[in-house]
Structure formats: C-alpha cells, structure tokens
C-alpha cells in the first residue's frame, strides 16, 4: 500500500552536502492514499534499518536518487533526511525540491495492524519500505 502525504521539504546542495529532508508521514492527520483515506497513529511506523531506505522519484524502485541518513519520530509525525546522489537524477531531485515543483515526500509502508473507522483506516502498526 502506498500512502502519500504532502508537506514542506528542505533541499540543500552545497557541494558535498546534498540533502532532502522533511516530514515523511504525519500522525493524527487523514491523508488520501491508493487505499483511500488513512491516518497513522502516533509512533505507528517502524523503521528497522534506516540506511537501507532509498529515496525514489515517483515511486520508481529502479531509479533511486538517495538514501536515508536520519529518522526521527516527533509528536506530529515521522521526519527523515536523505543524502542525495551526485547523479543527474539526484541533481534533478534537488532542483525540483528547491523550486518547490516537488514539495512533498511520499512513503510506502507495509501495514501490519489497523482499525477501520467510519471515514478512514487508522494504521496502528506499519513497517516503512
């Protein structure tokens, strides 16, 4: 299940430091996904090996543009930063983020526990993919 949420992201390209960072999933907020309306409960997303999580453009697994460097669960959501490749695709990703043409991050998760609510699915446990 691919769950898509938009939020502000930061993109930095200062030579050696090429980073895209931002909220990858909000807690307590309904989002519109390929599975319909979904809300993540606080701290419901597990990330067992952050350095294996790749940054993709348009969910294309065959063309990663970066790799997760850090992840932090905060009260309002899950935040991550990604080191972006020096490839042309990586440069495109940085430029599109800096120009706010791509202004959000989208996650793919495997839902392991959820509760159907009246108007949405409440995810209580999931693994980031």
């Amino acid at each position: 299940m691919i769950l898509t949420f938009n939020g502000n992201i930061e993109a930095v390209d200062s030579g050696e430091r090429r980073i895209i960072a931002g909220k990858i999933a909000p807690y307590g907020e309904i989002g519109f996904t390929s599975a319909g309306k979904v809300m993540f409960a606080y701290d419901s997303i597990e990330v067992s090996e952050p350095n294996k999580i790749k940054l993709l453009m348009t969910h294309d697994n065959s063309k990663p543009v970066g790799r997760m460097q850090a992840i932090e669960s905060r009260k309002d959501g899950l935040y991550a930063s990604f080191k972006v490749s020096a490839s042309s695709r990586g440069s495109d990703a940085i430029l599109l983020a800096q120009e706010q043409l791509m202004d959000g991050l989208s996650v793919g998760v495997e839902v392991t526990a959820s509760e159907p609510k009246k108007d949405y699915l409440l995810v209580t446990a999931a693994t980031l993919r």
Side-chain angles (χ1 to χ4, degrees):
M1 169 186 327
I2 301 296
L3 306 178
T4 304
F5 298 89
N6 288 323
N8 293 330
I9 60 175
E10 173 191 2
V12 176
D13 183 357
S14 61
E16 291 182 25
R17 184 171 183 255
R18 293 167 54 94
I19 302 289
I20 290 180
K23 187 188 305 185
I24 63 172
Y27 297 141
E29 194 177 302
I30 293 175
F32 299 92
T33 73
S34 57
K37 294 179 182 179
V38 174
M39 178 187 295
F40 288 109
Y42 172 74
D43 220 15
S44 59
I45 302 173
E46 176 188 339
V47 185
S48 58
E49 297 182 80
N51 62 339
K52 291 191 176 184
I53 302 294
K54 295 177 184 171
L55 178 65
L56 310 173
M57 286 184 64
T58 63
H59 297 282
D60 186 347
N61 288 317
S62 69
K63 297 178 182 175
V65 297
R67 183 175 303 279
M68 186 179 285
Q69 297 296 295
I71 189 152
E72 178 184 4
S73 186
R74 299 181 192 167
K75 185 177 179 179
D76 67 331
L78 194 60
Y79 289 77
S81 64
F82 299 85
K83 182 179 180 188
V84 178
S85 163
S87 69
S88 60
R89 285 189 318 275
S91 295
D92 289 346
I94 294 254
L95 182 61
L96 291 169
Q98 287 175 332
E99 293 181 353
Q100 298 179 350
L101 296 172
M102 295 188 107
D103 58 358
L105 296 167
S106 177
V107 296
V109 299
E110 179 181 339
V111 176
T112 54
S114 62
E115 299 173 16
K117 299 295 184 181
K118 181 179 177 188
D119 295 327
Y120 62 93
L121 179 70
L122 176 64
V123 174
T124 56
T127 303
L128 186 65
R129 298 284 178 227

